[in-house]
Amino acid sequence: MTTETSLPKLLFLIIGTYTFYLFYGITQEAIWSKEDNGDQFKSTSLLLFIQCVVNALGAVIFLTITNLCGSEEKIVPQESEDASKPSSALAETAPGYIRALFGKKLTGNLWMGVIALFYVSAMGASNQALQHVNYPTQALGKSCKMIPIMAANVFINGKKYSNLKYFSAFCITVGIVMFRVFKASSKTVGANSNMGLMLLLASLCLDGLTASNQTNYRNEFSSPTVRGALRMMRQTNIWACLYVGVLALATGDFFTGMSYLTDHPHLWSAILKFSLCSACGQCFIFLTITGPGPLVCTTITTTRKFFTILISVFLNPKNTLEQAQWAAVGVVFTGLGTELYEKYTKASNKKAKSTSAVKVKDVENKVINQDEDKTSPLNQRKQVLKRRGSLLIQEDSPFTTNRYK
């Protein structure tokens, strides 16, 4: 499946993702911040359940509007007509470790259920980590997403990456380590426990599994259209609602969280804003996943972390960073800049090759057309030479009547 998307559409996806997830991060921090009396909202599964319900409803609403409009514009214009299979069909490209669990009964629906489990677990670990680390640390930690995604694609999907891509991953890793080493000098930011860092690591690994499976799933079951993206979003969040709802009820987190919100009703406003930003942002996420692909989506969501960190620091005086930590941020986004440079270089080289191929094809077509065009000067000259040759042959032939006159 091709992953080329026009520049205006790519910019549209980037701006949409940046806008909604910037506010998503701000409202998320407001939910997990401690109250003046020391109270803190800790019902992660309840928050995830509300978020997934709103995401699913958003997908249904947006899909209904799209169906009423009747348009089916492709995110990838070069893509051929939709050849994706129904989700009830058997999955043929699922990774071996998933097919080993379900055998020949693995369908697209079941496969999406596994992907949704990875997705929910990654989101839960990330949100839970905020109870043990400050938000800038969590945001920078999630900036490492490309590393596990690359690793999963290499070992599971057999994908190969360039040296620039590996250099980019190296810079990001070094930047995160630097940020962790120099964190001790910025105590005003808040303590970062080992438990929080382990949760961030788990979230990154689950992100890698999610993205590697999404790559194969979209090639087999999803179409590169707006409706295809919204169907994938709807299906993912329906499964997520099932998982998180059962977890919230089984652990009692649903009831304790509702009790806390009853005592702190002002949090409902932040949760509503958080969920709405999540639903709108996810539309752009799934449009990117079904179009350019999960790795491009990761690049977009990773670069926006920089602006999230800056806004978090500027809006919350407690989240201050030392100079060494700012240097670490610079190293992280040097790696991101390298990745973007590589993508730009690849696009330019591909465009140059495409232009060269078109020129060669035009020349070949011109020659063919000239051969077919009897009125062209070249063909007229050929016809004259052909007639002259025919006359000479006739004059030299022993069977011509002129020879025996």
Side-chain angles (χ1 to χ4, degrees):
M1 175 176 287
T2 184
T3 57
E4 293 300 320
T5 305
S6 64
L7 182 59
K9 289 183 179 179
L10 185 59
L11 289 176
F12 174 72
L13 295 174
I14 292 173
I15 293 173
T17 303
Y18 276 16
T19 301
F20 288 108
Y21 275 102
L22 282 174
F23 291 103
Y24 172 92
I26 294 172
T27 54
Q28 184 185 44
E29 186 176 13
I31 294 171
W32 294 109
S33 297
K34 290 185 177 181
E35 303 288 340
D36 294 335
N37 60 359
D39 291 343
Q40 184 181 18
F41 181 78
K42 297 183 179 181
S43 300
T44 304
S45 57
L46 173 62
L47 181 63
L48 287 179
F49 178 72
I50 297 173
Q51 180 181 358
C52 292
V53 168
V54 176
N55 287 344
L57 290 175
V60 171
I61 293 172
F62 294 140
L63 187 57
T64 302
I65 295 174
T66 304
N67 290 333
L68 291 175
C69 293
S71 61
E72 182 74 337
E73 184 178 359
K74 286 181 169 53
I75 306 168
V76 184
Q78 298 94 332
E79 191 68 39
S80 60
E81 291 301 320
D82 182 15
S84 60
K85 300 192 304 186
S87 57
S88 58
L90 294 177
E92 299 177 358
T93 59
Y97 64 90
I98 295 180
R99 282 188 277 112
L101 293 175
F102 296 94
K104 296 182 180 180
K105 297 182 179 180
L106 180 65
T107 63
N109 283 324
L110 286 176
W111 190 9
M112 176 52 71
V114 177
I115 296 174
L117 180 61
F118 292 150
Y119 153 73
V120 168
S121 300
M123 193 163 50
S126 177
N127 285 336
Q128 191 69 24
L130 276 176
Q131 298 185 24
H132 305 279
V133 298
N134 57 70
Y135 186 77
T137 301
Q138 189 245 27
L140 272 174
K142 293 294 285 184
S143 295
C144 287
K145 255 174 133 175
M146 65 178 64
I147 299 174
I149 289 176
M150 290 174 63
N153 280 330
V154 169
F155 293 109
I156 297 176
N157 296 336
K159 187 176 179 61
K160 294 183 179 180
Y161 292 101
S162 65
N163 292 331
L164 279 177
K165 186 78 71 176
Y166 287 116
F167 174 75
S168 172
F170 173 77
C171 286
I172 294 172
T173 305
V174 171
I176 298 300
V177 171
M178 288 174 59
F179 187 85
R180 172 61 176 158
V181 168
F182 293 115
K183 82 169 184 67
S185 61
S186 54
K187 297 180 181 179
T188 55
V189 179
N192 294 328
S193 68
N194 291 329
M195 174 60 73
L197 297 176
M198 291 299 295
L199 287 170
L200 282 177
L201 178 61
S203 177
L204 292 174
C205 293
L206 291 166
D207 282 331
L209 292 176
T210 302
S212 63
N213 278 277
Q214 283 176 332
T215 300
N216 291 338
Y217 182 90
R218 69 151 188 163
N219 291 341
E220 186 173 357
F221 290 100
S222 183
S223 58
T225 60
V226 175
R227 290 177 188 169
L230 292 174
R231 291 190 199 104
M232 193 171 175
M233 176 181 171
R234 179 189 59 188
Q235 197 175 7
T236 301
N237 283 285
I238 288 175
W239 277 102
C241 288
L242 177 63
Y243 292 137
V244 181
V246 171
L247 178 64
L249 291 174
T251 60
D253 208 23
F254 181 88
F255 303 104
T256 56
M258 293 299 294
S259 176
Y260 185 89
L261 291 175
T262 302
D263 296 334
H264 303 80
H266 65 277
L267 282 180
W268 277 112
S269 175
I271 290 176
L272 179 60
K273 294 176 183 178
F274 169 79
S275 301
L276 290 176
C277 288
S278 174
C280 295
Q282 266 206 5
C283 287
F284 289 93
I285 290 294
F286 278 92
L287 286 172
T288 308
I289 290 173
T290 56
L295 190 57
V296 175
C297 178
T298 300
T299 303
I300 295 174
T301 56
T302 300
T303 53
R304 65 98 184 167
K305 295 288 195 307
F306 177 71
F307 300 101
T308 304
I309 294 170
L310 290 181
I311 291 178
S312 175
V313 171
F314 292 146
L315 295 182
N316 191 348
K318 295 181 181 179
N319 291 337
T320 58
L321 299 178
E322 299 294 333
Q323 291 184 352
Q325 290 179 301
W326 281 115
V329 173
V331 173
V332 170
F333 292 103
T334 296
L336 293 175
T338 303
E339 182 184 1
L340 294 175
Y341 168 77
E342 186 203 26
K343 287 185 181 297
Y344 174 78
T345 303
K346 279 185 177 181
S348 299
N349 292 338
K350 189 171 183 178
K351 185 176 180 181
K353 289 181 181 179
S354 177
T355 303
S356 177
V358 169
K359 289 182 179 179
V360 171
K361 189 68 176 178
D362 289 342
V363 172
E364 291 176 351
N365 291 335
K366 187 175 181 180
V367 172
I368 293 173
N369 292 334
Q370 285 183 348
D371 288 339
E372 295 176 351
D373 186 7
K374 295 182 179 180
T375 62
S376 65
L378 179 61
N379 277 324
Q380 289 179 351
R381 177 64 177 169
K382 287 182 179 179
Q383 293 294 330
V384 171
L385 293 176
K386 188 175 180 180
R387 286 196 296 270
R388 288 181 179 178
S390 177
L391 291 174
L392 291 175
I393 291 174
Q394 290 180 0
E395 290 176 358
D396 293 339
S397 175
F399 299 102
T400 56
T401 55
N402 293 332
R403 179 66 57 89
Y404 296 97
K405 284 182 178 181

